[in-house]
């Protein structure tokens, strides 16, 4: 069975490739290396460097390879950047997905597992958030992912395609053996930023807003270990292969941690006291996002096993300590 991983050199995609190889799938990777790293691609994967928006390139890969299913991680995914460069997000995320769907139609590939986001929900009053909640993105990134979900749904009606869309909450951690991990340039995500401060790579962590309507005034997020997240993708693939219909699932851990709580836990895990400064709110940030993942547990049989925030931060720390410059030697 041959699986195509789009964005397989990125943080989340590379973890998917490793788990697919562990489970003896044949893996084909496409990545333009805009944010991904060649070193993150598993040596057993068949790697093609190129852009999902490039129809000629995409067709050449689909002609050469027999693809039984697709995991689609290739997208820009920074909330802050999406607010200042919205068209970059529509181009890479929405137009890129259009080409992927065209290829699926042309080459008769039926199954796609798609990386969506909690950002499709925007600001919600009721926690935890179920899949049935209203979708009102507060940032361009979430809007593009919601659009991509809708594209797949319309394509399903028009031709024979089945998709599973997985709405991630905040993904963190790294593979337990420390071989691959998170390496963005610039890094903007809270846990790696905090760990870079612990390593002395940045002078301080800035807390983006202390005046939110939460217990300690800082934003609350639901953190999920990247390995648990990927386990759900493999279950979603199996679900489609077993004849499951198109579906949407939240992936989170059903527990919320504030920015200040993450900082405190990181200080305990690393044993390092680093500087923290209070800053302004970041544009586009909802105050609280906590998932209900009951549906994924029930329908996919998903059983996340690394739900402790200490373990998530510890695995991330293991990667950062041993790769202080990421994939750069
Ligand atoms: N934060 C800080 N300081 C920092 C970095 C982040 O205070 O230096 C805060 C943010 O304001 C936010 C929280 O930490 O309240 C988490 O921020 P991240 O940037 O780590 O993550 P986001 O919640 O913004 O976004 C993540 C993914 C998105 C996804 C979203 C869904 O990066 O792809 O979760 O909630 F859409």
């Amino acid at each position: 069975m041959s699986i195509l991983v789009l964005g397989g050199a990125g943080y989340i995609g590379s973890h998917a490739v490793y788990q697919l190889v562990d489970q003896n799938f044949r893996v084909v990777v496409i990545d333009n290396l805009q944010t991904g790293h060649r070193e993150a691609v598993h040596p057993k994967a068949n790697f093609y460097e190129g852009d999902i928006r490039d129809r000629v390139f995409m067709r050449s890969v689909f002609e050469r390879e027999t693809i039984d299913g697709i995991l689609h991680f290739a997208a820009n995914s920074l909330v802050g950047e999406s607010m200042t460069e919205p068209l970059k997000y529509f181009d890479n995320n929405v137009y890129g997905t259009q080409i992927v769907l065209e290829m699926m139609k042309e080459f008769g590939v039926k199954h796609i597992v798609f990386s969506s986001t909690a950002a499709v929900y925007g600001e919600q009053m009721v926690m935890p958030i179920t899949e049935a909640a209203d979708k009102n993105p507060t940032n361009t990134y979430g809007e593009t992912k919601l659009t991509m979900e809708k594209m797949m749904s319309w394509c399903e009606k028009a031709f024979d395609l089945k998709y599973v869309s997985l709405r991630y909450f905040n993904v963190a951690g790294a593979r337990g053996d420390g071989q691959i991990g998170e390496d963005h340039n610039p890094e903007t995500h809270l846990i790696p930023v905090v760990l870079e401060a612990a390593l002395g790579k940045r002078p301080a962590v800035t807390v983006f807003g202390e005046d939110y309507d939460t217990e300690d005034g800082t934003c609350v997020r639901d953190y999920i270990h990247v390995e648990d997240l990927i386990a759900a993708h493999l279950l979603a693939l199996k679900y489609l292969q077993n004849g499951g219909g198109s579906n949407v699932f939240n992936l989170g851990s059903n527990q919320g941690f504030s920015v200040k709580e993450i900082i405190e836990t990181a200080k305990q895990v690393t044993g390092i006291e680093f500087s923290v400064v209070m800053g302004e709110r970041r544009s586009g940030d909802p105050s609280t996002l906590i998932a209900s993942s009951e549906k994924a547990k029930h329908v996919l049989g998903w059983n996340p096993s690394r739900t402790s925030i200490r373990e998530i931060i510890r695995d991330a720390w293991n990667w950062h300590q041993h790769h202080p410059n990421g994939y750069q030697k």
Side-chain angles (χ1 to χ4, degrees), residues 76-80 116-120 139 141-142 145 168-171 182 187-194 202 204-209 212 218-223 258-259 263 280-282 284-287 289:
N76 289 109
S77 63
L78 299 178
V79 169
S116 186
T117 171
V120 300
N139 52 62
Y141 169 62
K145 288 279 175 166
Y168 311 164
F169 284 63
N170 288 59
V171 188
E182 192 164 5
E187 188 53 78
T188 64
H189 293 114
L190 181 64
I191 290 180
V193 161
V194 164
R202 36 176 98 219
V205 175
T206 304
V207 175
F208 295 148
Y212 284 96
T218 66
C219 286
V220 170
R221 293 287 182 273
D222 179 334
Y223 293 86
S258 71
V259 173
I263 291 171
E280 296 296 312
R281 285 186 178 200
R282 185 175 66 177
D285 272 345
S287 69
L289 287 170

